[in-house]
Amino acid sequence: MRLQHTLCFVSLFVATATVANGASALAPTSELVSSRPVQDLALSRGSVGYVADVPKRLSCGRIGFWNTAARTSFTVDAREQCVEEASTGQGIWDVSVATRRLLWLTYAGGNFREWALWTATTTRRTPRRLRFVARDVDAPPPIVLGPGTTEGIAYAVDGEVTYLGDDGRAIFKTVLAAPVRAVASGRGPRGVLVAALLGDHVVVGLDRDGRQVVVWEYTRLAVTAVRVSWRGLVVQAGNDVYIGSTRIPLPTGATMVDVAQGRVLWTRAGDLGTTAIATGASRRLVDGTPLRPASGQLEPQGIAWSVGRFVRWRAGALP
């Protein structure tokens, strides 16, 4: 079944200029100390993936895995280009985690930028390259990586979407009509497991067989981020997040990074905070700075976050 929607949105809340400070109340259940500053973080239930690197310095980064329940961890070579400086830069672009599997994306180059997608698992820790694409440096990233679930991680190469299972086998592969600019996985309504953003205005929902079961058209909005939740598709456009026909204003300059526990998790100027879906109330959870930003991901089972070399986990609902 293919359902198509041209959506009109209703705002239920009035955005406020004040963000309540709750940073001191967020005490971790456990923590891990990385050998290098943590630049990015991924979460799937109690499995945490993270990037340990020194930004703007020619050094080889590491990809970390931490099982917060078993309290086991390891790091692997990120396999980024780190021997010589690329004229337009190099580094680790993104990281994602399922239950035991890590995926991460590296880039490097001059006029042409080389993109590579890598994977490693708790039992096969030697990194293996899954995809490689060279593209003009000014072109959008040809490979995009979405947040993981316990069963797998979605990624796209141009218009081809793969939902890779935690066991390394593809749950599905499908080719869409246009290049994918963002992808996300989760359990949504109508059997949607993966959502893919095409251009700025169209998001398609894919089921377990990779079939397009829903098409959302945001004719008056430019979508910049997408997530899948049981409440429905979640997108950010401008300073607002939309869930179905509900508009949730975020604090000015905030970027959505996750949705769970009835909250939108966001970053702003290095800080990490939430906005309640039911009330629109915003709260800062973790203090950071633009030079030392906080990263975080939120699940029904808890929240993981990092600042500097510390990776922290708090089990249960947010206070």
Side-chain angles (χ1 to χ4, degrees):
M1 178 176 64
R2 183 179 185 273
L3 302 177
Q4 181 164 319
H5 297 272
T6 300
L7 300 179
C8 297
F9 299 102
V10 178
S11 176
L12 297 187
F13 317 115
V14 177
T16 61
T18 302
V19 179
N21 184 3
S24 61
L26 196 62
T29 302
S30 56
E31 70 178 28
L32 176 147
V33 183
S34 169
S35 61
R36 300 181 181 189
V38 175
Q39 304 302 316
D40 195 7
L41 182 145
L43 173 66
S44 177
R45 194 159 290 189
S47 295
V48 178
Y50 61 92
V51 176
D53 203 356
V54 181
K56 299 181 181 179
R57 187 183 300 176
L58 193 60
S59 63
C60 299
R62 307 286 290 177
I63 303 296
F65 176 88
W66 179 29
N67 184 305
T68 59
R71 299 195 177 186
T72 58
S73 63
F74 66 88
T75 61
V76 299
D77 182 355
R79 296 293 175 94
E80 63 172 319
Q81 178 180 309
C82 55
V83 176
E84 61 183 28
E85 190 97 25
S87 61
T88 57
Q90 67 273 328
I92 305 164
W93 187 265
D94 204 355
V95 64
S96 189
V97 65
T99 302
R100 298 175 296 273
R101 179 172 299 276
L102 289 160
L103 260 65
W104 66 96
L105 188 59
T106 64
Y107 70 97
N111 293 331
F112 285 89
R113 179 164 285 176
E114 297 177 344
W115 298 84
L117 181 66
W118 304 86
T119 188
T121 71
T122 56
T123 56
R124 300 184 66 179
R125 298 183 184 180
T126 300
R128 179 168 60 95
R129 193 174 73 183
L130 295 178
R131 303 297 294 264
F132 174 86
V133 180
R135 196 60 50 86
D136 187 278
V137 67
D138 295 322
I143 306 176
V144 294
L145 182 59
T149 69
T150 55
E151 73 170 352
I153 302 168
Y155 69 88
V157 181
D158 291 323
E160 181 187 74
V161 178
T162 300
Y163 190 25
L164 184 68
D166 192 55
D167 61 2
R169 292 176 291 187
I171 297 170
F172 71 75
K173 287 186 179 181
T174 191
V175 178
L176 302 180
V180 175
R181 298 302 176 220
V183 65
S185 53
R187 292 195 176 274
R190 305 188 184 101
V192 171
L193 290 182
V194 173
L197 171 65
L198 310 181
D200 294 332
H201 304 289
V202 176
V203 181
V204 298
L206 307 172
D207 67 7
R208 181 167 292 276
D209 296 319
R211 297 175 301 186
Q212 296 183 37
V213 292
V214 183
V215 178
W216 293 273
E217 295 183 4
Y218 298 87
T219 54
R220 299 179 182 177
L221 304 173
V223 177
T224 56
V226 59
R227 291 293 185 272
V228 178
S229 80
W230 67 268
R231 294 173 180 267
L233 182 75
V234 185
V235 301
Q236 180 170 8
N239 216 60
D240 299 321
V241 167
Y242 299 86
I243 305 176
S245 59
T246 302
R247 181 173 71 91
I248 304 110
L250 299 186
T252 302
T255 299
M256 175 181 71
V257 294
D258 216 342
V259 179
Q261 298 191 22
R263 297 171 170 90
V264 177
L265 184 71
W266 46 259
T267 60
R268 183 181 71 156
D271 293 336
L272 188 69
T274 63
T275 296
I277 295 171
T279 66
S282 294
R283 179 185 185 191
R284 189 169 72 251
L285 293 178
V286 181
D287 293 330
T289 68
L291 295 179
R292 192 170 177 265
S295 297
Q297 292 283 279
L298 184 62
E299 292 272 335
Q301 297 78 16
I303 183 172
W305 74 97
S306 65
V307 179
R309 295 192 301 117
F310 291 91
V311 184
R312 296 184 168 106
W313 162 256
R314 178 189 173 96
L318 288 172

